[in-house]
Amino acid sequence: MTADVTTIATDLQFPEGPIAMDGGSILLVEIKRGTLTWLEADGEVRRRFDLGGGPNGAAVGPDGKVYVCNNGGSIQRVDLESGAVETVYTTSTAADGSSIPLRAPNDIVFDAHGGFWFSDHGVRLERTSDRTGLHYASPDGSSCREVVFPVDAPNGIGLSPDGATLYAAETHSGRVFHWPIGEPGTIDQAQANPAGPGGGHLLAGLPGMQFLDSLAVDGEGWVCVATLINGGITSISPDGETVEHTPFEDPLVTNICFGGDDLRTAYVTLSGTGQLVKTTWPRPGLRLAHTA
């Protein structure tokens, strides 16, 4: 399937983390520039917020502020009205009660209860690589817990439409896993897979040389994951039986979000060429728990 693409913005410095706002404007991060960038619907820059480090995934919280996974090792909060930037978390609590530093927070999704899940991708060096996990946190800064461990280079993260399933993509393995959610911010251990990473079940694994980046879940429960090298969006049906690939002319397709009145507009970040583009999606998107 080939997308009919309209370019919204160019000359972006490694864009990621798009958020479709009411009124048609778009928020995204520019990792290389170190900013949260607010674009008008026509791609003109309304405002840039200087975050430093490497801002990555972003989401609107129940307070209307924007929460950003900064791969420099923190969760940040941005007030779009005042421009204030706060650091909310730099550590998380492991299952044994110990405090662990956040290494490289990557992608984020809020649930209907007001908390948020995020992935910590970890740091990959020439001969070593972190083993990290998936975390659940309160936006008020009171609690951040590592819930799923270990996962290898977790990147994209999302929730099923009913909020009962957590999805995450491992970058280098090219696999998407899912976990059953119990109480808010917990995994139902009775349904966990003892052979999977952190109890996860395999949804799909991509063949050949393909890496996975961030993801979004659409309104029909398909997991739409940005795909590197084989640049595009790979859509996986909820049962994992059907896999579709929508190519884009960039080997570094990094993220997707949905907007428009009918949520049929997909906004996609092309980070190799520094573009934000949009296309009509074959299924309606999923309205996130908190939008603005």
Side-chain angles (χ1 to χ4, degrees):
M1 180 174 62
T2 301
D4 184 11
V5 171
T6 299
T7 300
I8 300 174
T10 59
D11 299 320
L12 301 172
Q13 295 187 18
F14 213 96
E16 241 272 29
I19 306 170
M21 306 288 281
D22 288 348
S25 64
I26 302 293
L27 286 168
L28 52 77
V29 301
E30 296 182 72
I31 296 178
K32 186 176 180 181
R33 195 190 297 271
T35 62
L36 175 68
T37 300
W38 197 351
L39 301 176
E40 303 289 1
D42 62 2
E44 291 296 314
V45 176
R46 178 186 297 188
R47 186 172 183 181
R48 282 190 169 100
F49 305 86
D50 187 9
L51 306 187
N56 210 310
V60 177
D63 55 3
K65 297 179 181 180
V66 179
Y67 290 74
V68 178
C69 288
N70 193 306
N71 62 35
S74 67
I75 302 295
Q76 296 171 302
R77 178 170 53 220
V78 182
D79 187 317
L80 296 179
E81 293 185 4
S82 69
V85 178
E86 304 171 86
T87 296
V88 185
Y89 296 107
T90 59
T91 62
S92 186
T93 302
D96 64 2
S98 63
S99 177
I100 53 175
L102 298 180
R103 295 287 285 165
N106 192 286
D107 201 12
I108 179 173
V109 63
F110 275 87
D111 65 14
H113 305 281
F116 62 91
W117 292 90
F118 70 93
S119 59
D120 189 338
H121 187 265
V123 177
R124 191 176 179 90
L125 302 176
E126 184 176 2
R127 294 183 181 273
T128 61
S129 180
D130 289 334
R131 301 198 80 191
T132 52
L134 309 177
H135 304 253
Y136 186 79
S138 299
D140 63 4
S142 64
S143 174
C144 182
R145 298 176 291 105
E146 184 181 61
V147 180
V148 177
F149 177 85
V151 189
D152 291 318
N155 197 314
I157 194 167
L159 293 168
S160 60
D162 63 3
T165 303
L166 176 70
Y167 296 100
E170 288 187 337
T171 294
H172 304 106
S173 72
R175 292 177 175 177
V176 178
F177 292 93
H178 62 95
W179 294 261
I181 293 176
E183 295 297 317
T186 70
I187 298 303
D188 184 352
Q189 295 300 326
Q191 299 184 57
N193 174 18
H201 299 263
L202 180 66
L203 179 69
L206 302 190
M209 190 66 172
Q210 302 186 75
F211 293 162
L212 299 181
D213 210 295
S214 297
L215 65 82
V217 180
D218 71 23
E220 295 182 10
W222 288 59
V223 179
C224 307
V225 56
T227 307
L228 308 174
I229 302 177
N230 182 23
I233 300 295
T234 300
S235 302
I236 308 164
S237 63
D239 60 8
E241 294 298 319
T242 304
V243 178
E244 301 173 351
H245 183 76
T246 304
F248 290 84
E249 293 185 358
D250 191 313
L252 300 179
V253 177
T254 54
N255 209 335
I256 180 173
C257 74
F258 300 102
D261 293 339
D262 58 0
L263 293 176
R264 292 290 293 269
T265 301
Y267 297 91
V268 180
T269 47
L270 310 183
S271 297
T273 53
Q275 299 182 77
L276 173 68
V277 301
K278 67 178 180 179
T279 189
T280 300
W281 205 246
R283 295 169 299 275
L286 175 65
R287 185 168 294 282
L288 298 176
H290 309 285
T291 56

